[in-house]
Amino acid sequence: MTRLSVNINKIATLRNARGGNNPDVVRTALDCESFGADGITVHPRPDERHIRRSDVLELKKVLSTEFNIEGYPSREFIDLVTLVKPAQVTLVPDSPDQITSNHGWDTVQNQSLLTDIIMEFRNAGIRTSVFVDADAKAVEYAAKAGADRVELYTEPYATMYPTDRDKAIAPFVEAAKAARSCGLGLNAGHDLSLVNLQFMKQQIPWLDEVSIGHALICDALYMGLETTIEKYKQCIL
């Protein structure tokens, strides 16, 4: 079964635009769970421009589904994650001022760094996923670093999908096969949508999890959150 983790960063962005607590990030996360989401993803950045440290702490108290915290493994981030102990941490190679994730780790050049960080999370009982491009070598070196899973960065797939979906998915299938051969779990995320999600699931049926935020929240503006989550879940049956 492929699980849907809803990234609620955009809810926090909207809240922060006016101050106060509207929309309520915690309430939205609980609603996502009640509407069928299998997990909640957050990405607390150093400048707290969307998800705040306080949000992470409050969410941990109330979530009943899988909690996934993603981010660059600075010391501050590592300390927050080991304090909260989510089910999963996803390591991304973002710089502090980056608008959004736009590439995966160079797991060869960062082998030592990743190995040490993954060991720290493993000792804390936290499953670790490494954000990688659709490249078999990157997947293999994530496995060598001790990762439990990889998350495939799917923006290139989403960009090419409208013109040639078979060509778009090909490198992701190969990377997914590499993950399976290495014994890694497999996640995917970034620019996945109701347009392209079902085809990815059909071509890579062993996907463990998709993490989706921007497109899902945009769709919810028109269809409502409950209906939108139902439609995304139907794509990954």
Side-chain angles (χ1 to χ4, degrees):
M1 183 183 76
T2 302
R3 301 168 72 87
L4 172 66
S5 185
V6 176
N7 185 317
I8 58 170
N9 285 359
K10 287 298 184 293
I11 300 299
T13 299
L14 184 59
R15 175 200 61 189
N16 294 354
R18 286 288 296 269
N21 195 38
N22 186 27
D24 186 322
V25 168
V26 174
R27 171 61 186 274
T28 301
L30 292 174
D31 286 342
C32 287
E33 289 186 324
S34 69
F35 297 151
D38 303 299
I40 299 296
T41 292
V42 296
H43 186 151
R45 294 179 181 274
D47 61 6
E48 295 195 324
R49 63 179 180 265
H50 37 65
I51 291 293
R52 301 168 180 157
R53 178 185 175 92
S54 59
D55 295 326
V56 176
L57 298 174
E58 290 303 311
L59 287 164
K60 174 60 178 179
K61 296 176 184 177
V62 298
L63 293 180
S64 58
T65 59
E66 182 176 289
F67 194 18
N68 172 47
I69 304 176
E70 61 181 27
Y72 181 82
S74 64
R75 186 70 253 171
E76 182 181 21
F77 177 83
I78 293 170
D79 289 344
L80 175 62
V81 172
T82 53
L83 172 66
V84 173
K85 289 185 170 57
Q88 177 175 269
V89 59
T90 301
L91 306 181
V92 297
D94 290 0
S95 61
D97 60 347
Q98 205 162 310
I99 293 176
T100 187
S101 303
N102 61 14
H103 63 282
W105 283 95
D106 182 335
T107 54
V108 178
Q109 292 296 321
N110 292 283
Q111 182 75 184
S112 179
L113 171 68
L114 291 171
T115 299
D116 291 344
I117 293 166
I118 291 168
M119 180 61 69
E120 187 166 354
F121 287 135
R122 175 167 290 177
N123 289 340
I126 304 166
R127 184 175 75 230
T128 304
S129 178
V130 175
F131 196 64
V132 296
D133 296 319
D135 176 76
K137 188 173 183 180
V139 170
E140 292 163 6
Y141 274 80
K144 289 180 180 180
D148 301 293
R149 293 187 182 184
V150 289
E151 178 175 332
L152 299 180
Y153 167 54
T154 50
E155 187 274 335
Y157 163 73
T159 299
M160 188 181 295
Y161 180 89
T163 56
D164 191 338
R165 67 179 190 175
D166 292 324
K167 184 176 180 180
I169 196 63
F172 291 87
V173 172
E174 292 308 308
K177 289 177 179 178
R180 186 167 58 177
S181 69
C182 291
L184 293 175
L186 183 66
N187 300 340
H190 206 89
D191 283 358
L192 294 176
S193 69
L194 291 175
V195 173
N196 57 48
L197 179 58
Q198 187 172 41
F199 184 69
M200 172 164 276
K201 166 64 176 180
Q202 290 170 347
Q203 301 304 305
I204 311 174
W206 62 93
L207 268 173
D208 289 300
E209 174 186 296
V210 290
S211 176
I212 304 176
H214 184 79
L216 189 150
I217 299 304
C218 290
D219 289 334
L221 293 174
Y222 293 92
M223 296 186 290
L225 192 57
E226 183 172 10
T227 297
T228 299
I229 288 175
E230 289 174 356
K231 287 183 177 294
Y232 274 85
K233 291 278 287 184
Q234 289 169 7
C235 288
I236 54 176
L237 292 176

